[in-house]
Amino acid sequence: MDSVLTQVLLPVALGIVMLGLGLGLDVADFKRVVQFPKAVLIALTCQVLLLPAVCFALVLALDLPPALAVGMMLLAASPGGTMANVYSHLFGGNVALNVSLTAVNSVLAVFTLPIVVNLSLEHFLGGTGQIGLQFDKVLQVFAIVLVPVALGMLVRYRWREFAERMHRPVRILSVVVLVLVIAGAITNERENIGEYFKAAGAAVLIFNLISLAVGYLAPRLARVGRAESVSAAMEVGIHNGTLAIVIATTLLDSTEIAVPAAVYSLVMLFTAAGFGYVIRPRTAATRAAPDPAHGPAGRR
């Protein structure tokens, strides 16, 4: 990939996305997790512990090349993306829960993501290019993930009306910038796109479907409300592929490690929509009646 694209434009695009997330957050969003303790605990357990283990088993089963295997693990360790909020809203999820999960997940990822990636590099590539135990790399992950979010939250705290006005335009701008950057990446790599999908397409598709299914079924089996289960499915099933690409290309300096996340960023748009369509009729059908798992208060 072109160095200007990966070293400058893509991090800037991610910064705008995370800034937009921060403009929509305040401290209450972190406190709100106590309203849905079971849903939050299950979603975070799936995201932080279960999915990396599932992904590890998957890459071994498919015998992926080492760099692609690391890329898959990086993707699995990435927190939920802002698109999870959009899909949750479209398909009847509890968007407030999504916002809270994204906020908590982004903080946790600063610590969990380097650990998972470091272990993956050690296992698949003999430890070359580690980011997990190197303090400067952890600081870079911190800067990439949390600094724009914190800045957005600060703006919202100090100038709430301005933040409310800017939240939607910044989200639209982030989508536009991401689309342009992804289009530029696809253009630059058009000769290799087919090979990328051939190399990582099956692994990405299987992992994405498993993530969505686990995110929905695990809460339902624990008798979590249907709307909250949809939220968990979208949060667990829609990873921040842009973050994974930025880490791969800027911190690890590897286009090959970024391939799974790049393929995933395209595939998940369709799989998440299809999954949401499958569960939407049932979700819509429960709006007129209380969810048996929670009674009248089940759909806050």
Side-chain angles (χ1 to χ4, degrees), residues 153-212:
M153 291 182 66
L154 177 62
V155 171
R156 183 178 178 85
Y157 176 76
R158 295 291 300 273
W159 303 283
R160 191 178 186 89
E161 291 185 3
F162 173 77
E164 292 284 356
R165 291 197 306 269
M166 293 302 297
H167 184 217
R168 182 177 176 82
V170 170
R171 287 186 63 179
I172 294 174
L173 176 63
S174 68
V175 172
V176 171
V177 172
L178 276 178
V179 168
L180 291 176
V181 171
I182 291 173
I186 292 174
T187 300
N188 286 343
E189 297 292 313
R190 58 186 179 277
E191 296 180 357
N192 301 317
I193 291 295
E195 290 298 319
Y196 289 165
F197 271 88
K198 181 179 179 181
V204 164
L205 178 60
I206 294 171
F207 177 69
N208 188 210
L209 292 175
I210 290 175
S211 299
L212 289 166

Short mmCIF file of all heavy atoms in Angstrom, two decimals, residues 153-212:
data_model
loop_
_atom_site.label_atom_id
_atom_site.label_comp_id
_atom_site.label_asym_id
_atom_site.label_seq_id
_atom_site.Cartn_x
_atom_site.Cartn_y
_atom_site.Cartn_z
N MET A 153 -14.90 13.54 23.97
CA MET A 153 -15.65 13.60 25.24
C MET A 153 -15.42 14.93 25.94
O MET A 153 -16.34 15.49 26.55
CB MET A 153 -15.24 12.44 26.13
CG MET A 153 -15.69 11.07 25.64
SD MET A 153 -15.23 9.73 26.77
CE MET A 153 -16.25 10.14 28.21
N LEU A 154 -14.18 15.44 25.87
CA LEU A 154 -13.88 16.73 26.49
C LEU A 154 -14.67 17.85 25.82
O LEU A 154 -15.23 18.72 26.51
CB LEU A 154 -12.37 17.01 26.39
CG LEU A 154 -11.91 18.37 26.94
CD1 LEU A 154 -12.20 18.46 28.43
CD2 LEU A 154 -10.41 18.57 26.66
N VAL A 155 -14.72 17.82 24.50
CA VAL A 155 -15.51 18.82 23.77
C VAL A 155 -16.97 18.73 24.18
O VAL A 155 -17.63 19.76 24.40
CB VAL A 155 -15.35 18.63 22.25
CG1 VAL A 155 -16.33 19.53 21.49
CG2 VAL A 155 -13.92 18.94 21.82
N ARG A 156 -17.48 17.52 24.30
CA ARG A 156 -18.89 17.34 24.68
C ARG A 156 -19.14 17.84 26.11
O ARG A 156 -20.19 18.43 26.39
CB ARG A 156 -19.27 15.86 24.58
CG ARG A 156 -20.74 15.57 24.88
CD ARG A 156 -21.05 14.09 24.71
NE ARG A 156 -22.43 13.80 25.03
CZ ARG A 156 -23.43 13.92 24.17
NH1 ARG A 156 -23.19 14.31 22.93
NH2 ARG A 156 -24.68 13.65 24.53
N TYR A 157 -18.18 17.63 26.99
CA TYR A 157 -18.31 18.07 28.38
C TYR A 157 -18.29 19.59 28.48
O TYR A 157 -19.08 20.20 29.22
CB TYR A 157 -17.20 17.46 29.22
CG TYR A 157 -17.18 17.94 30.65
CD1 TYR A 157 -18.11 17.47 31.58
CD2 TYR A 157 -16.23 18.88 31.07
CE1 TYR A 157 -18.09 17.91 32.90
CE2 TYR A 157 -16.21 19.34 32.38
CZ TYR A 157 -17.15 18.85 33.29
OH TYR A 157 -17.12 19.30 34.58
N ARG A 158 -17.38 20.22 27.74
CA ARG A 158 -17.22 21.67 27.85
C ARG A 158 -18.22 22.44 27.00
O ARG A 158 -18.70 23.50 27.41
CB ARG A 158 -15.79 22.05 27.41
CG ARG A 158 -14.70 21.51 28.31
CD ARG A 158 -14.72 22.18 29.69
NE ARG A 158 -14.53 23.61 29.58
CZ ARG A 158 -13.34 24.22 29.55
NH1 ARG A 158 -12.23 23.48 29.63
NH2 ARG A 158 -13.25 25.52 29.47
N TRP A 159 -18.53 21.91 25.82
CA TRP A 159 -19.41 22.60 24.88
C TRP A 159 -20.44 21.61 24.34
O TRP A 159 -20.37 21.20 23.18
CB TRP A 159 -18.61 23.22 23.74
CG TRP A 159 -17.55 24.16 24.21
CD1 TRP A 159 -17.72 25.44 24.65
CD2 TRP A 159 -16.14 23.90 24.29
NE1 TRP A 159 -16.53 25.98 25.01
CE2 TRP A 159 -15.53 25.07 24.79
CE3 TRP A 159 -15.34 22.80 23.98
CZ2 TRP A 159 -14.16 25.16 25.00
CZ3 TRP A 159 -13.97 22.88 24.19
CH2 TRP A 159 -13.39 24.04 24.68
N ARG A 160 -21.38 21.23 25.19
CA ARG A 160 -22.30 20.14 24.86
C ARG A 160 -23.14 20.46 23.63
O ARG A 160 -23.33 19.60 22.77
CB ARG A 160 -23.20 19.83 26.06
CG ARG A 160 -24.01 18.54 25.88
CD ARG A 160 -24.86 18.24 27.10
NE ARG A 160 -25.51 16.95 26.95
CZ ARG A 160 -24.97 15.79 27.33
NH1 ARG A 160 -23.78 15.76 27.89
NH2 ARG A 160 -25.62 14.65 27.16
N GLU A 161 -23.66 21.67 23.55
CA GLU A 161 -24.50 22.02 22.40
C GLU A 161 -23.71 21.94 21.10
O GLU A 161 -24.21 21.46 20.07
CB GLU A 161 -25.10 23.42 22.58
CG GLU A 161 -26.13 23.51 23.71
CD GLU A 161 -26.77 24.88 23.76
OE1 GLU A 161 -26.44 25.73 22.89
OE2 GLU A 161 -27.61 25.10 24.65
N PHE A 162 -22.47 22.42 21.14
CA PHE A 162 -21.62 22.34 19.96
C PHE A 162 -21.35 20.89 19.58
O PHE A 162 -21.42 20.51 18.40
CB PHE A 162 -20.29 23.07 20.23
CG PHE A 162 -19.28 22.91 19.13
CD1 PHE A 162 -19.39 23.63 17.95
CD2 PHE A 162 -18.20 22.04 19.30
CE1 PHE A 162 -18.46 23.47 16.93
CE2 PHE A 162 -17.26 21.90 18.28
CZ PHE A 162 -17.39 22.61 17.10
N ALA A 163 -21.09 20.05 20.59
CA ALA A 163 -20.83 18.63 20.33
C ALA A 163 -22.06 17.97 19.73
O ALA A 163 -21.95 17.13 18.83
CB ALA A 163 -20.42 17.93 21.62
N GLU A 164 -23.24 18.32 20.23
CA GLU A 164 -24.48 17.75 19.70
C GLU A 164 -24.66 18.13 18.23
O GLU A 164 -25.07 17.30 17.41
CB GLU A 164 -25.69 18.24 20.51
CG GLU A 164 -25.74 17.73 21.95
CD GLU A 164 -26.20 16.28 22.01
OE1 GLU A 164 -26.54 15.71 20.96
OE2 GLU A 164 -26.20 15.72 23.13
N ARG A 165 -24.33 19.38 17.91
CA ARG A 165 -24.47 19.83 16.51
C ARG A 165 -23.44 19.15 15.62
O ARG A 165 -23.72 18.85 14.46
CB ARG A 165 -24.30 21.35 16.43
CG ARG A 165 -25.43 22.15 17.05
CD ARG A 165 -25.41 23.59 16.57
NE ARG A 165 -24.12 24.22 16.79
CZ ARG A 165 -23.79 24.90 17.88
NH1 ARG A 165 -24.67 25.02 18.85
NH2 ARG A 165 -22.59 25.45 17.99
N MET A 166 -22.25 18.93 16.14
CA MET A 166 -21.16 18.41 15.32
C MET A 166 -21.14 16.89 15.25
O MET A 166 -20.50 16.32 14.36
CB MET A 166 -19.81 18.89 15.89
CG MET A 166 -19.60 20.37 15.77
SD MET A 166 -19.68 20.93 14.03
CE MET A 166 -18.31 20.04 13.32
N HIS A 167 -21.84 16.21 16.16
CA HIS A 167 -21.76 14.74 16.22
C HIS A 167 -22.15 14.10 14.90
O HIS A 167 -21.42 13.28 14.34
CB HIS A 167 -22.65 14.22 17.35
CG HIS A 167 -22.56 12.74 17.54
ND1 HIS A 167 -23.64 11.97 17.88
CD2 HIS A 167 -21.52 11.89 17.41
CE1 HIS A 167 -23.26 10.70 17.96
NE2 HIS A 167 -21.99 10.63 17.69
N ARG A 168 -23.30 14.49 14.37
CA ARG A 168 -23.76 13.89 13.12
C ARG A 168 -22.86 14.26 11.93
O ARG A 168 -22.46 13.37 11.16
CB ARG A 168 -25.21 14.29 12.84
CG ARG A 168 -25.78 13.67 11.57
CD ARG A 168 -27.25 14.07 11.40
NE ARG A 168 -27.79 13.56 10.16
CZ ARG A 168 -28.24 12.33 9.97
NH1 ARG A 168 -28.21 11.48 10.98
NH2 ARG A 168 -28.71 11.95 8.80
N PRO A 169 -22.51 15.57 11.76
CA PRO A 169 -21.61 15.89 10.65
C PRO A 169 -20.26 15.18 10.71
O PRO A 169 -19.74 14.75 9.68
CB PRO A 169 -21.42 17.42 10.78
CG PRO A 169 -22.65 17.88 11.49
CD PRO A 169 -22.99 16.79 12.44
N VAL A 170 -19.71 15.04 11.92
CA VAL A 170 -18.42 14.35 12.05
C VAL A 170 -18.57 12.88 11.71
O VAL A 170 -17.70 12.29 11.07
CB VAL A 170 -17.84 14.53 13.47
CG1 VAL A 170 -16.64 13.63 13.69
CG2 VAL A 170 -17.45 15.99 13.70
N ARG A 171 -19.69 12.25 12.12
CA ARG A 171 -19.92 10.85 11.77
C ARG A 171 -20.04 10.69 10.25
O ARG A 171 -19.48 9.75 9.67
CB ARG A 171 -21.18 10.32 12.45
CG ARG A 171 -21.03 10.08 13.94
CD ARG A 171 -22.25 9.43 14.53
NE ARG A 171 -22.49 8.12 13.97
CZ ARG A 171 -23.50 7.33 14.35
NH1 ARG A 171 -24.37 7.76 15.26
NH2 ARG A 171 -23.65 6.15 13.81
N ILE A 172 -20.76 11.61 9.62
CA ILE A 172 -20.88 11.56 8.15
C ILE A 172 -19.51 11.75 7.50
O ILE A 172 -19.14 11.04 6.57
CB ILE A 172 -21.88 12.62 7.66
CG1 ILE A 172 -23.29 12.28 8.16
CG2 ILE A 172 -21.87 12.69 6.14
CD1 ILE A 172 -24.32 13.36 7.85
N LEU A 173 -18.74 12.73 8.02
CA LEU A 173 -17.41 12.98 7.49
C LEU A 173 -16.52 11.75 7.65
O LEU A 173 -15.76 11.40 6.73
CB LEU A 173 -16.78 14.18 8.20
CG LEU A 173 -15.32 14.50 7.81
CD1 LEU A 173 -15.23 14.88 6.34
CD2 LEU A 173 -14.78 15.63 8.70
N SER A 174 -16.62 11.09 8.80
CA SER A 174 -15.78 9.91 9.03
C SER A 174 -16.10 8.80 8.04
O SER A 174 -15.20 8.12 7.54
CB SER A 174 -15.96 9.40 10.47
OG SER A 174 -17.25 8.87 10.68
N VAL A 175 -17.40 8.63 7.75
CA VAL A 175 -17.79 7.61 6.77
C VAL A 175 -17.25 7.97 5.38
O VAL A 175 -16.70 7.12 4.67
CB VAL A 175 -19.33 7.47 6.72
CG1 VAL A 175 -19.75 6.56 5.56
CG2 VAL A 175 -19.86 6.90 8.03
N VAL A 176 -17.39 9.25 5.02
CA VAL A 176 -16.92 9.70 3.70
C VAL A 176 -15.40 9.50 3.58
O VAL A 176 -14.90 8.98 2.58
CB VAL A 176 -17.28 11.18 3.48
CG1 VAL A 176 -16.61 11.71 2.21
CG2 VAL A 176 -18.79 11.34 3.37
N VAL A 177 -14.67 9.92 4.63
CA VAL A 177 -13.21 9.79 4.60
C VAL A 177 -12.80 8.33 4.52
O VAL A 177 -11.91 7.95 3.74
CB VAL A 177 -12.59 10.47 5.84
CG1 VAL A 177 -11.09 10.16 5.91
CG2 VAL A 177 -12.81 11.97 5.79
N LEU A 178 -13.46 7.48 5.31
CA LEU A 178 -13.14 6.06 5.29
C LEU A 178 -13.40 5.45 3.92
O LEU A 178 -12.60 4.66 3.41
CB LEU A 178 -13.95 5.31 6.35
CG LEU A 178 -13.38 5.32 7.76
CD1 LEU A 178 -14.32 4.59 8.71
CD2 LEU A 178 -12.01 4.67 7.80
N VAL A 179 -14.54 5.82 3.33
CA VAL A 179 -14.87 5.29 2.00
C VAL A 179 -13.80 5.71 0.99
O VAL A 179 -13.34 4.91 0.17
CB VAL A 179 -16.26 5.77 1.55
CG1 VAL A 179 -16.48 5.48 0.06
CG2 VAL A 179 -17.35 5.10 2.37
N LEU A 180 -13.39 6.98 1.05
CA LEU A 180 -12.37 7.47 0.13
C LEU A 180 -11.03 6.76 0.34
O LEU A 180 -10.35 6.39 -0.63
CB LEU A 180 -12.19 8.98 0.30
CG LEU A 180 -13.36 9.86 -0.16
CD1 LEU A 180 -13.09 11.33 0.17
CD2 LEU A 180 -13.61 9.69 -1.65
N VAL A 181 -10.66 6.57 1.61
CA VAL A 181 -9.38 5.91 1.90
C VAL A 181 -9.42 4.45 1.46
O VAL A 181 -8.47 3.94 0.85
CB VAL A 181 -9.05 6.01 3.40
CG1 VAL A 181 -7.84 5.14 3.74
CG2 VAL A 181 -8.77 7.46 3.78
N ILE A 182 -10.54 3.76 1.77
CA ILE A 182 -10.67 2.36 1.36
C ILE A 182 -10.67 2.26 -0.17
O ILE A 182 -10.05 1.37 -0.75
CB ILE A 182 -11.95 1.74 1.94
CG1 ILE A 182 -11.80 1.60 3.47
CG2 ILE A 182 -12.24 0.38 1.32
CD1 ILE A 182 -13.06 1.16 4.17
N ALA A 183 -11.37 3.20 -0.83
CA ALA A 183 -11.39 3.20 -2.30
C ALA A 183 -9.98 3.41 -2.84
O ALA A 183 -9.57 2.78 -3.82
CB ALA A 183 -12.32 4.30 -2.81
N GLY A 184 -9.22 4.31 -2.19
CA GLY A 184 -7.84 4.53 -2.61
C GLY A 184 -6.99 3.29 -2.42
O GLY A 184 -6.17 2.95 -3.28
N ALA A 185 -7.20 2.61 -1.28
CA ALA A 185 -6.44 1.38 -1.02
C ALA A 185 -6.77 0.31 -2.03
O ALA A 185 -5.89 -0.41 -2.52
CB ALA A 185 -6.74 0.89 0.40
N ILE A 186 -8.07 0.18 -2.35
CA ILE A 186 -8.49 -0.82 -3.34
C ILE A 186 -7.90 -0.50 -4.71
O ILE A 186 -7.44 -1.39 -5.43
CB ILE A 186 -10.03 -0.88 -3.42
CG1 ILE A 186 -10.59 -1.47 -2.11
CG2 ILE A 186 -10.48 -1.72 -4.61
CD1 ILE A 186 -12.10 -1.44 -2.05
N THR A 187 -7.89 0.80 -5.05
CA THR A 187 -7.32 1.20 -6.34
C THR A 187 -5.83 0.88 -6.41
O THR A 187 -5.34 0.35 -7.41
CB THR A 187 -7.53 2.71 -6.57
OG1 THR A 187 -8.94 3.00 -6.56
CG2 THR A 187 -6.94 3.14 -7.91
N ASN A 188 -5.13 1.20 -5.32
CA ASN A 188 -3.69 0.94 -5.29
C ASN A 188 -3.37 -0.55 -5.33
O ASN A 188 -2.34 -0.97 -5.86
CB ASN A 188 -3.06 1.56 -4.04
CG ASN A 188 -2.95 3.06 -4.13
OD1 ASN A 188 -3.04 3.63 -5.21
ND2 ASN A 188 -2.76 3.71 -3.00
N GLU A 189 -4.26 -1.34 -4.74
CA GLU A 189 -4.01 -2.78 -4.63
C GLU A 189 -4.91 -3.60 -5.57
O GLU A 189 -5.09 -4.80 -5.35
CB GLU A 189 -4.25 -3.22 -3.18
CG GLU A 189 -3.33 -2.58 -2.17
CD GLU A 189 -1.90 -3.05 -2.32
OE1 GLU A 189 -1.68 -4.26 -2.45
OE2 GLU A 189 -0.99 -2.19 -2.34
N ARG A 190 -5.45 -2.96 -6.61
CA ARG A 190 -6.43 -3.64 -7.45
C ARG A 190 -5.88 -4.91 -8.09
O ARG A 190 -6.63 -5.87 -8.31
CB ARG A 190 -6.94 -2.68 -8.54
CG ARG A 190 -5.88 -2.10 -9.45
CD ARG A 190 -6.48 -1.04 -10.38
NE ARG A 190 -5.48 -0.45 -11.26
CZ ARG A 190 -4.68 0.55 -10.89
NH1 ARG A 190 -4.77 1.04 -9.66
NH2 ARG A 190 -3.79 1.04 -11.73
N GLU A 191 -4.59 -4.93 -8.35
CA GLU A 191 -4.02 -6.12 -8.96
C GLU A 191 -3.91 -7.28 -7.97
O GLU A 191 -3.78 -8.44 -8.38
CB GLU A 191 -2.62 -5.80 -9.51
CG GLU A 191 -2.65 -4.77 -10.65
CD GLU A 191 -1.25 -4.48 -11.17
OE1 GLU A 191 -0.29 -5.03 -10.59
OE2 GLU A 191 -1.12 -3.70 -12.13
N ASN A 192 -3.98 -6.97 -6.67
CA ASN A 192 -3.82 -8.01 -5.65
C ASN A 192 -5.11 -8.36 -4.94
O ASN A 192 -5.11 -9.26 -4.09
CB ASN A 192 -2.79 -7.54 -4.60
CG ASN A 192 -1.43 -7.24 -5.21
OD1 ASN A 192 -0.95 -7.98 -6.05
ND2 ASN A 192 -0.82 -6.14 -4.79
N ILE A 193 -6.21 -7.63 -5.23
CA ILE A 193 -7.47 -7.84 -4.51
C ILE A 193 -7.92 -9.28 -4.60
O ILE A 193 -8.32 -9.90 -3.59
CB ILE A 193 -8.57 -6.89 -5.04
CG1 ILE A 193 -8.25 -5.45 -4.67
CG2 ILE A 193 -9.93 -7.30 -4.50
CD1 ILE A 193 -8.27 -5.18 -3.19
N GLY A 194 -7.87 -9.84 -5.81
CA GLY A 194 -8.31 -11.22 -5.98
C GLY A 194 -7.50 -12.18 -5.13
O GLY A 194 -8.05 -13.10 -4.51
N GLU A 195 -6.19 -11.96 -5.07
CA GLU A 195 -5.33 -12.81 -4.27
C GLU A 195 -5.64 -12.66 -2.78
O GLU A 195 -5.59 -13.63 -2.02
CB GLU A 195 -3.86 -12.47 -4.54
CG GLU A 195 -3.37 -12.88 -5.91
CD GLU A 195 -3.46 -14.39 -6.12
OE1 GLU A 195 -3.13 -15.14 -5.17
OE2 GLU A 195 -3.86 -14.82 -7.22
N TYR A 196 -5.93 -11.42 -2.36
CA TYR A 196 -6.25 -11.18 -0.95
C TYR A 196 -7.50 -11.96 -0.54
O TYR A 196 -7.54 -12.62 0.50
CB TYR A 196 -6.47 -9.68 -0.70
CG TYR A 196 -5.22 -8.84 -0.76
CD1 TYR A 196 -5.30 -7.46 -0.87
CD2 TYR A 196 -3.96 -9.43 -0.73
CE1 TYR A 196 -4.15 -6.67 -0.93
CE2 TYR A 196 -2.81 -8.66 -0.79
CZ TYR A 196 -2.91 -7.28 -0.89
OH TYR A 196 -1.79 -6.51 -0.95
N PHE A 197 -8.55 -11.87 -1.38
CA PHE A 197 -9.78 -12.57 -1.07
C PHE A 197 -9.56 -14.08 -1.11
O PHE A 197 -10.13 -14.83 -0.31
CB PHE A 197 -10.90 -12.16 -2.03
CG PHE A 197 -11.68 -10.97 -1.57
CD1 PHE A 197 -11.28 -9.68 -1.89
CD2 PHE A 197 -12.82 -11.13 -0.81
CE1 PHE A 197 -11.99 -8.58 -1.47
CE2 PHE A 197 -13.54 -10.03 -0.37
CZ PHE A 197 -13.13 -8.75 -0.70
N LYS A 198 -8.75 -14.52 -2.05
CA LYS A 198 -8.46 -15.95 -2.15
C LYS A 198 -7.72 -16.44 -0.92
O LYS A 198 -7.97 -17.54 -0.40
CB LYS A 198 -7.63 -16.21 -3.41
CG LYS A 198 -7.30 -17.68 -3.63
CD LYS A 198 -6.49 -17.86 -4.91
CE LYS A 198 -6.11 -19.32 -5.13
NZ LYS A 198 -5.30 -19.49 -6.37
N ALA A 199 -6.79 -15.60 -0.41
CA ALA A 199 -5.96 -16.00 0.73
C ALA A 199 -6.71 -15.93 2.05
O ALA A 199 -6.57 -16.81 2.91
CB ALA A 199 -4.72 -15.11 0.79
N ALA A 200 -7.52 -14.89 2.23
CA ALA A 200 -8.13 -14.67 3.56
C ALA A 200 -9.65 -14.65 3.54
O ALA A 200 -10.26 -14.60 4.61
CB ALA A 200 -7.63 -13.33 4.13
N GLY A 201 -10.27 -14.72 2.37
CA GLY A 201 -11.72 -14.57 2.29
C GLY A 201 -12.49 -15.60 3.09
O GLY A 201 -13.41 -15.25 3.86
N ALA A 202 -12.12 -16.88 2.98
CA ALA A 202 -12.84 -17.94 3.69
C ALA A 202 -12.71 -17.77 5.19
O ALA A 202 -13.70 -17.86 5.94
CB ALA A 202 -12.33 -19.31 3.25
N ALA A 203 -11.49 -17.50 5.67
CA ALA A 203 -11.26 -17.34 7.10
C ALA A 203 -12.04 -16.15 7.65
O ALA A 203 -12.66 -16.22 8.72
CB ALA A 203 -9.77 -17.15 7.37
N VAL A 204 -12.03 -15.04 6.91
CA VAL A 204 -12.73 -13.83 7.34
C VAL A 204 -14.23 -14.07 7.40
O VAL A 204 -14.90 -13.70 8.37
CB VAL A 204 -12.41 -12.67 6.37
CG1 VAL A 204 -13.40 -11.53 6.55
CG2 VAL A 204 -10.99 -12.17 6.60
N LEU A 205 -14.78 -14.70 6.37
CA LEU A 205 -16.22 -14.95 6.32
C LEU A 205 -16.65 -15.87 7.46
O LEU A 205 -17.64 -15.58 8.17
CB LEU A 205 -16.59 -15.57 4.98
CG LEU A 205 -18.08 -15.95 4.80
CD1 LEU A 205 -18.96 -14.71 4.93
CD2 LEU A 205 -18.29 -16.62 3.45
N ILE A 206 -15.94 -16.97 7.66
CA ILE A 206 -16.29 -17.90 8.74
C ILE A 206 -16.19 -17.22 10.09
O ILE A 206 -17.08 -17.35 10.94
CB ILE A 206 -15.37 -19.14 8.69
CG1 ILE A 206 -15.62 -19.94 7.42
CG2 ILE A 206 -15.60 -20.02 9.92
CD1 ILE A 206 -14.61 -21.05 7.19
N PHE A 207 -15.11 -16.47 10.31
CA PHE A 207 -14.93 -15.80 11.59
C PHE A 207 -16.02 -14.77 11.84
O PHE A 207 -16.55 -14.65 12.95
CB PHE A 207 -13.56 -15.13 11.64
CG PHE A 207 -13.32 -14.35 12.90
CD1 PHE A 207 -13.18 -14.99 14.12
CD2 PHE A 207 -13.25 -12.97 12.88
CE1 PHE A 207 -12.98 -14.27 15.29
CE2 PHE A 207 -13.05 -12.24 14.03
CZ PHE A 207 -12.91 -12.89 15.24
N ASN A 208 -16.38 -14.01 10.81
CA ASN A 208 -17.42 -13.00 10.96
C ASN A 208 -18.77 -13.62 11.31
O ASN A 208 -19.49 -13.14 12.19
CB ASN A 208 -17.52 -12.18 9.68
CG ASN A 208 -18.45 -10.98 9.80
OD1 ASN A 208 -19.06 -10.56 8.83
ND2 ASN A 208 -18.57 -10.42 11.00
N LEU A 209 -19.11 -14.71 10.64
CA LEU A 209 -20.39 -15.38 10.92
C LEU A 209 -20.40 -15.98 12.32
O LEU A 209 -21.42 -15.91 13.03
CB LEU A 209 -20.64 -16.48 9.87
CG LEU A 209 -20.91 -15.98 8.45
CD1 LEU A 209 -21.03 -17.16 7.48
CD2 LEU A 209 -22.17 -15.12 8.39
N ILE A 210 -19.28 -16.55 12.73
CA ILE A 210 -19.19 -17.09 14.09
C ILE A 210 -19.33 -15.97 15.11
O ILE A 210 -20.03 -16.11 16.12
CB ILE A 210 -17.86 -17.84 14.29
CG1 ILE A 210 -17.84 -19.14 13.47
CG2 ILE A 210 -17.64 -18.15 15.78
CD1 ILE A 210 -16.52 -19.87 13.53
N SER A 211 -18.68 -14.84 14.85
CA SER A 211 -18.74 -13.71 15.78
C SER A 211 -20.18 -13.21 15.96
O SER A 211 -20.64 -12.98 17.09
CB SER A 211 -17.86 -12.56 15.27
OG SER A 211 -16.52 -12.95 15.17
N LEU A 212 -20.89 -13.05 14.85
CA LEU A 212 -22.28 -12.60 14.92
C LEU A 212 -23.16 -13.60 15.66
O LEU A 212 -23.98 -13.22 16.52
CB LEU A 212 -22.82 -12.37 13.51
CG LEU A 212 -22.26 -11.16 12.75
CD1 LEU A 212 -22.60 -11.25 11.27
CD2 LEU A 212 -22.80 -9.86 13.34
#
